[in-house]
Amino acid sequence: MASTNTVHQLFLDPICSHAFNADHTQLVVSNSTPLTHIMQLGADNKFSTKEVLEQHLERVTSVDWAPNTNRIVTCAGDRNAYVWNYQKQDGYWKPCLVLLRINRAATFVRWSPNEGRFAVGSGARLLSICYFDPEHNWWVSKHIKKPIRSTILCVDWHPSNHLIAVGSCDFKCRVFCAALKELGDKPQTSNWMPKLNKFGTLLAEFDTNNGWVHGVQFSPSGSMLAWVAHDASVNVVDSASLTKVHRLLTASLPYSCLLWMSEGSFAAAGYNYCPDLYTVTPSGVSFTAKLNVKKEKSVGGEMSARARFQKMAVHGQSDSWGTTVDTTHENCISDMRALTRDPTTGVVTKFSTAGKDGRLVIWNVDALSAALGGLKI
């Protein structure tokens, strides 16, 4: 049977964000330092550092890689963001300044689906939508401020490229219009935007009880929106009925990120160290299974009383001392990415997770399904 996952121990430091290039042979990752590492997959199927991007002065909080245009964007606690373009002739990544115009740390960044713009969330209680200004050869930004009242922790673009969802520390998840007249956008009406609106218009707002919104994402078709909060809740709303939010208060620790696996299911991961699968139906959202195969314990036979006493005398502790973790990750999962998604059905067949244990794990969905008794994911 095929392996359910491949584990890469990239760092001893926590990983806060990662992204792959188009063919998944290169990886950009932030290990909670001012340095951003570009890593190459070698012939031994292991990642090694190929180049280090050193422009930021504070901890890099988020990274993203546009696969089609091959551009990397990074943001950090120094209130700056940079777009990195690969110079093929010279063989290095050249930074281009982004005018964010913020006075607090940048916290999250994502490219739009067509890769012509990107969004940066920050502690300045505003969202920066950035686009390129060829006249001055830099990236400029337009701000969405009201009614955001606290730090933005996550954003996600709608597949249409003109809508954006924002999760923040004021316990709210919001959807805004992000169409830019500067780029000649001509957005289409939808359930999210019944009539054409100008840039920055608030289209929907959802409350999350008493929890910061850690992760938010549109479904592959864009018709549904899911978010996870620090009150250990998972939430889903359908654009056809924006007044009806399906909320499930889980018994697990809070989730920090999520990923739609198909149009009817998504995985959420965070402080419980492994991804959990949830199914979405017209009647609500329900827990399906943990996407983790427990580690097999080594079989060494029963230990005699004499041998057990000798081991305690040498190590100063018994076998039962300490805590064992039977999950692939050994600390909080901070980021999830879809690696392979069917463009027609939106079904994910391979995805990755990165965590505060410094590990990157690539999951094989088909192998997971077989190992979990034919579970349909």
Side-chain angles (χ1 to χ4, degrees):
M1 185 175 65
S3 175
T4 59
N5 58 61
T6 304
V7 180
H8 301 274
Q9 185 71 51
L10 302 183
F11 305 101
L12 296 178
D13 304 313
I15 297 175
C16 61
S17 184
H18 78 291
F20 285 87
N21 68 342
D23 60 4
H24 306 149
T25 57
Q26 292 186 12
L27 166 75
V28 58
V29 59
S30 166
N31 62 333
S32 302
T33 68
L35 305 178
T36 305
H37 297 260
I38 296 178
M39 312 189 82
Q40 177 76 44
L41 185 64
D44 57 354
N45 201 33
K46 294 182 179 180
F47 284 99
S48 59
T49 300
K50 180 182 180 183
E51 189 170 347
V52 179
L53 310 181
E54 302 183 5
Q55 199 70 20
H56 288 287
L57 301 177
E58 297 290 342
R59 181 175 70 93
V60 176
T61 54
S62 186
V63 300
D64 201 15
W65 197 325
N68 299 320
T69 56
N70 196 34
R71 291 187 297 216
I72 295 173
V73 61
T74 61
C75 70
D78 57 8
R79 301 169 294 171
N80 287 324
Y82 293 95
V83 175
W84 303 81
N85 297 279
Y86 186 66
Q87 307 299 306
K88 198 169 184 180
Q89 298 82 1
D90 303 320
Y92 78 102
W93 289 88
K94 181 180 179 181
C96 183
L97 179 64
V98 182
L99 299 181
L100 288 181
R101 300 181 291 120
I102 58 176
N103 58 6
R104 294 292 187 274
T107 56
F108 199 88
V109 64
R110 280 296 180 272
W111 285 104
S112 66
N114 73 356
E115 303 177 7
R117 71 197 76 183
F118 58 89
V120 180
S122 69
R125 299 184 297 177
L126 58 84
L127 179 70
S128 300
I129 305 296
C130 308
Y131 60 96
F132 187 66
D133 180 6
E135 182 178 352
H136 298 92
N137 193 32
W138 57 26
W139 292 75
V140 296
S141 62
K142 290 188 70 174
H143 289 167
I144 298 177
K145 297 181 179 180
K146 296 180 179 180
I148 302 171
R149 293 186 292 273
S150 190
T151 300
I152 294 174
L153 296 180
C154 54
V155 301
D156 189 58
W157 288 91
H158 189 271
S160 69
N161 206 69
H162 300 137
L163 306 176
I164 192 166
V166 178
S168 55
C169 291
D170 57 3
F171 310 158
K172 303 287 185 182
C173 179
R174 301 179 176 93
V175 179
F176 293 96
C177 174
L180 291 168
K181 64 179 181 180
E182 290 84 355
L183 299 182
D185 287 345
K186 296 180 180 178
Q188 302 293 322
T189 57
S190 64
N191 288 333
W192 292 108
M193 187 167 60
K195 63 179 182 179
L196 298 181
N197 291 278
K198 64 180 181 179
F199 175 85
T201 301
L202 178 65
L203 303 176
E205 182 179 81
F206 310 102
D207 196 0
T208 59
N209 293 333
N210 296 306
W212 297 349
V213 179
H214 286 300
V216 62
Q217 193 172 73
F218 285 102
S219 64
S221 69
S223 62
M224 290 187 287
L225 179 69
W227 65 94
V228 292
H230 202 71
D231 59 357
S233 68
V234 294
N235 308 266
V236 178
V237 65
D238 194 320
S239 60
S241 179
L242 294 177
T243 58
K244 186 176 182 181
V245 177
H246 300 292
R247 177 176 290 111
L248 177 65
L249 291 173
T250 69
S252 68
L253 293 171
Y255 297 117
S256 58
C257 52
L258 78 155
L259 174 69
W260 283 90
M261 306 298 292
S262 67
E263 192 61 30
S265 64
F266 65 88
Y271 294 91
N272 57 349
Y273 301 176
C274 78
D276 291 340
L277 183 67
Y278 288 87
T279 301
V280 180
T281 62
S283 59
V285 55
S286 59
F287 174 79
T288 304
K290 286 187 174 295
L291 299 182
N292 187 80
V293 178
K294 292 186 177 181
K295 299 177 183 177
E296 294 184 1
K297 295 182 179 179
S298 59
V299 180
E302 292 294 330
M303 188 180 296
S304 66
R306 180 182 177 86
R308 188 179 298 276
F309 178 80
Q310 289 177 338
K311 184 175 181 180
M312 291 175 64
V314 172
H315 295 283
Q317 60 191 38
S318 64
D319 289 341
S320 60
W321 184 88
T323 302
T324 58
V325 178
D326 59 3
T327 54
T328 304
H329 279 284
E330 295 182 350
N331 208 326
C332 171
I333 297 174
S334 55
D335 198 15
M336 298 179 70
R337 295 280 188 164
L339 296 184
T340 308
R341 186 188 293 272
D342 189 295
T344 305
T345 62
V347 175
V348 172
T349 55
K350 187 179 290 187
F351 69 97
S352 64
T353 58
K356 294 184 178 181
D357 53 2
R359 290 182 178 180
L360 170 76
V361 181
I362 298 176
W363 303 81
N364 186 321
V365 175
D366 292 336
L368 267 176
S369 178
L372 296 174
L375 175 69
K376 185 177 179 181
I377 301 176

